[in-house]
Amino acid sequence: MPTHKYDAIDSGIVTFVNQFTVHSSPEEFERIFAEVSEFMAEQPGFIQYTLSRSIDEDKQDRYINIALWEDAQSWKNAVAHPGFQDHAKEIRARTTNVGELYAPRQSFSVK
């Protein structure tokens, strides 16, 4: 099976990783997160996101969001957008979270 490995440094793309601990029902959180995601998907530079929930039965209140952006400035512009704060307020009322931007260093894929 062929593999492809390349140096991803200076690709411009950034990854935003946001870990949530949810204090409301999972259904409510996922509904509100979908609304926030619709807003973010309309912002310039947005590429994609994945929201995942812990499969550990003792940690069913934990989620992680991994979002790709064309560059750090696009992400910064999106979270500075006046409409973002209304969405963020709804998420923050139901969770505690920690989020950070990451720049790629290496990438590996099987093609």
Side-chain angles (χ1 to χ4, degrees):
M1 184 181 318
T3 60
H4 181 219
K5 183 176 180 178
Y6 63 95
D7 183 355
I9 296 173
D10 296 326
S11 69
I13 292 176
V14 294
T15 303
F16 180 65
V17 178
N18 201 355
Q19 182 177 1
F20 297 95
T21 301
V22 176
H23 308 297
S24 66
S25 73
E27 296 80 13
E28 181 182 24
F29 168 72
E30 290 177 20
R31 178 185 57 77
I32 291 168
F33 191 89
E35 292 171 5
V36 174
S37 296
E38 286 179 26
F39 171 82
M40 296 303 270
E42 294 173 355
Q43 304 310 305
F46 175 84
I47 299 172
Q48 72 179 49
Y49 83 93
T50 302
L51 178 68
S52 299
R53 185 178 183 188
S54 175
I55 60 172
D56 185 330
E57 288 188 29
D58 296 333
K59 297 178 182 177
Q60 290 285 297
D61 61 342
R62 299 206 184 149
Y63 287 77
I64 191 163
N65 170 45
I66 300 173
L68 298 179
W69 290 81
E70 290 178 2
D71 52 58
Q73 191 60 52
S74 293
W75 179 84
K76 290 175 185 178
N77 291 344
V79 298
H81 188 286
F84 175 74
Q85 290 309 314
D86 290 335
H87 291 292
K89 176 178 64 175
E90 293 298 320
I91 290 286
R92 289 183 188 123
R94 292 162 178 82
T95 68
T96 53
N97 71 298
V98 177
E100 293 183 272
L101 272 180
Y102 293 86
R105 304 301 294 168
Q106 297 179 13
S107 184
F108 178 84
S109 63
V110 177
K111 293 185 179 190

